[in-house]
């Protein structure tokens, strides 16, 4: 296969490139290095089946050329991280919406399959502690809270992908990631696990926002890739939306203690009120857990890594 990965120098994209190269695919990556990093793909430079373009997916000409060379496109290029979206609201919106429009437009020329990376942000602050199902209603706050612009831009991406499938028979598959974690993920844009690991290793305060009772399910990058590739290659997944995650729940407070213990850290735990952590534009989600019935009914998806095993990989990465 000749595969194009947009956002291929990012955390998920670079691991996907590793995986596809290892099985013999020809891999093309485009990344503007806004949140991705060359250090994530440096080790691939000498591989003759690896091709990298440092540019934006918003450049029609560049995208036209790349799409023409490939059989399938994993569209992962997007603004990532709550902190990044709050700091760069305009760029995040334009990149997510305009970028996806161009990817789909170019893919449609020769009907190349597009796997669209979406997000559990789509659900917003859904009521009640009930695992999120793909066909659930979405509950978003006001447009003055910047967090909701990310959810909105991703929902426009999903609507575009669905419309291209329905009206133009462009094969698209939509995958909603739930808190994927692993080596190479940076804490710079807000992500909690790399932040807690780094803080613990340095014996700096571990910063819990709010009361730490909010709950998440973290997904190992290798499990996420198993699910992503299986969906990309399943003919009946076309035109469908899938949650991709794990359903092991943990509170952020328990996560902080777990990481502190695993790193044998002397870090104090510091509770930070939300108003102090983020000047404005932030509203936290109390609960975020995926219902995985759909992905399991389509492909053989069984997350293999428990949270401790994944955190061990992340600690080893940061120590190195
Ligand atoms: N969080 C935290 N301390 C940090 C960074 C994040 O307590 O230094 C919290 C954050 O408020 C949220 C959870 O950890 O409740 C997960 O945050 P992340 O940004 O990783 O993912 P998301 O909120 O998108 O699920």
């Amino acid at each position: 296969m000749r595969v194009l990965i947009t956002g291929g120098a990012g955390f998920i994209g670079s691991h996907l490139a590793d995986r596809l190269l290892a099985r013999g695919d020809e891999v093309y990556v485009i990344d503007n290095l806004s949140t991705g990093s060359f250090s994530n793909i440096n080790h691939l430079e000498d591989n003759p089946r690896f091709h990298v373009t440092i540019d934006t997916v918003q450049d029609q000409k560049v995208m036209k050329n790349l799409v023409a060379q490939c059989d399938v496109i994993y569209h992962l290029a997007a603004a990532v991280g709550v902190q990044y979206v709050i700091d760069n609201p305009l760029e995040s919106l334009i990149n997510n919406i305009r970028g996806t429009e161009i990817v789909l437009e170019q893919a449609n020329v020769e009907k190349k399959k597009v796997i669209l990376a979406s997000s559990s942000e789509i659900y917003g602050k859904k009521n009640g502690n009930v695992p999120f199902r793909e066909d659930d209603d979405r509950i978003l706050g006001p447009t003055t809270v910047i967090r909701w612009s990310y959810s909105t831009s991703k929902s426009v991406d999903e609507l575009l992908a669905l419309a291209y499938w329905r009206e133009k028979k462009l094969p698209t598959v939509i995958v909603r990631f739930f808190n994927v974690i692993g080596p190479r993920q940076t804490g710079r844009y807000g992500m909690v696990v790399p932040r807690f690991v780094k803080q613990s290793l340095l014996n700096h305060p571990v910063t819990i926002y709010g009361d730490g009772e909010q709950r998440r399910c973290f997904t190992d990058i290798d499990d996420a890739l198993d699910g992503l590739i299986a969906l990309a290659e399943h003919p009946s997944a076309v035109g469908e939306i899938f949650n991709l995650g794990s359903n092991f729940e943990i509170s952020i407070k328990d996560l902080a203690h777990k990481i502190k213990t695993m790193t044998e850290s002397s870090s104090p735990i510091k509770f930070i009120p939300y108003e102090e952590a983020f000047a404005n534009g932030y509203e936290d989600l109390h609960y975020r857990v995926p219902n995985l019935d759909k992905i399991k009914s389509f492909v053989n998806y069984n997350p293999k890594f428990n949270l401790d095993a994944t955190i061990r990989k992340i600690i080893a990465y940061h120590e190195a």
Side-chain angles (χ1 to χ4, degrees):
M1 292 286 274
R2 290 166 307 159
V3 183
L4 173 60
I5 306 172
T6 74
F11 158 55
I12 298 180
S14 65
H15 282 284
L16 179 61
D18 285 346
R19 190 68 91 83
L20 297 177
L21 285 166
R23 71 174 197 184
D25 291 343
E26 192 88 19
V27 173
Y28 294 78
V29 154
I30 178 165
D31 202 300
N32 67 356
L33 301 183
S34 60
T35 54
S37 161
F38 211 81
S39 63
N40 290 339
I41 49 172
N42 242 342
H43 62 288
L44 299 174
E45 275 235 287
D46 295 336
N47 189 322
R49 284 181 288 104
F50 182 68
H51 315 274
V52 59
T53 304
I54 303 300
D55 212 326
T56 163
V57 293
Q58 291 180 53
D59 188 317
Q60 290 261 19
K61 255 202 213 134
V62 171
M63 284 309 291
K64 191 181 162 94
N65 278 335
L66 286 171
V67 168
Q69 295 179 74
C70 294
D71 309 306
V72 59
I73 301 139
Y74 285 84
H75 179 39
L76 306 179
V80 286
V82 170
Q83 184 68 58
Y84 188 85
V85 173
I86 289 174
D87 293 343
N88 305 277
L90 188 59
E91 190 214 303
S92 303
L93 270 170
I94 291 175
N95 195 50
N96 286 1
I97 296 175
R98 185 80 191 116
T100 299
E101 236 184 300
I102 288 172
V103 168
L104 292 169
E105 203 176 317
Q106 293 305 325
N108 189 50
V109 174
E110 290 181 61
K111 305 289 178 203
K112 305 279 174 76
K113 193 185 223 183
V114 179
I115 319 307
L116 174 75
S118 186
S119 164
S120 52
E121 280 287 316
I122 283 282
Y123 296 101
K125 48 184 173 180
K126 220 172 77 63
N127 286 333
N129 289 359
V130 183
F132 301 5
R133 261 176 60 118
E134 288 84 349
D135 53 0
D136 279 343
D137 287 340
R138 308 166 50 229
I139 301 181
L140 306 186
T143 49
T144 44
V145 174
I146 298 170
R147 177 165 199 149
W148 308 123
S149 79
Y150 184 74
S151 181
T152 302
S153 67
K154 278 290 171 188
S155 68
V156 173
D157 290 354
E158 290 197 2
L159 289 167
L160 283 167
L162 290 173
Y164 262 100
W165 164 240
R166 288 182 186 136
E167 273 184 44
K168 302 189 184 290
K169 289 288 158 260
L170 172 70
T172 58
V173 180
I174 298 167
V175 180
R176 293 177 179 165
F177 288 113
F178 279 70
N179 295 84
V180 180
I181 56 168
R184 296 185 198 153
Q185 185 178 43
T186 166
R188 203 175 307 142
Y189 309 116
M191 279 73 163
V192 68
V193 172
R195 286 175 62 81
F196 283 4
V197 167
K198 204 167 167 191
Q199 289 165 344
S200 297
L201 287 173
L202 295 170
N203 295 314
H204 290 170
V206 174
T207 55
I208 296 180
Y209 301 156
D211 62 6
E213 294 300 333
Q214 64 272 38
R215 302 179 77 75
R216 295 290 187 273
C217 296
F218 294 96
T219 312
D220 185 283
I221 179 66
D222 286 316
D223 287 329
L225 291 182
D226 286 346
L228 180 68
I229 295 169
L231 289 173
E233 296 180 348
H234 194 295
S236 312
V238 166
E240 300 284 343
I241 300 175
F242 299 89
N243 287 340
L244 176 45
S246 114
N247 38 29
F248 174 74
E249 285 179 52
I250 187 167
S251 74
I252 296 303
K253 192 160 67 184
D254 289 348
L255 177 75
H257 286 289
K258 180 187 276 297
I259 292 176
K260 252 195 71 165
T261 307
M262 289 176 72
T263 50
E264 296 173 11
S265 170
S266 61
S267 292
I269 299 259
K270 190 171 173 200
F271 288 87
I272 301 183
Y274 289 123
E275 314 79 72
E276 227 176 88
F278 298 93
N280 59 33
Y282 190 70
E283 182 174 340
D284 205 2
L285 309 178
H286 182 67
Y287 180 83
R288 172 179 270 169
V289 174
N291 175 311
L292 299 173
D293 292 348
K294 186 169 177 186
I295 186 171
K296 287 187 176 188
S297 74
F298 273 68
V299 294
N300 180 23
Y301 176 67
N302 265 315
K304 289 189 284 289
F305 290 90
N306 65 32
L307 183 57
D308 285 33
T310 307
I311 292 174
R312 269 196 295 275
K313 290 196 279 185
I314 297 169
I315 293 171
Y317 171 78
H318 282 272
E319 280 174 339

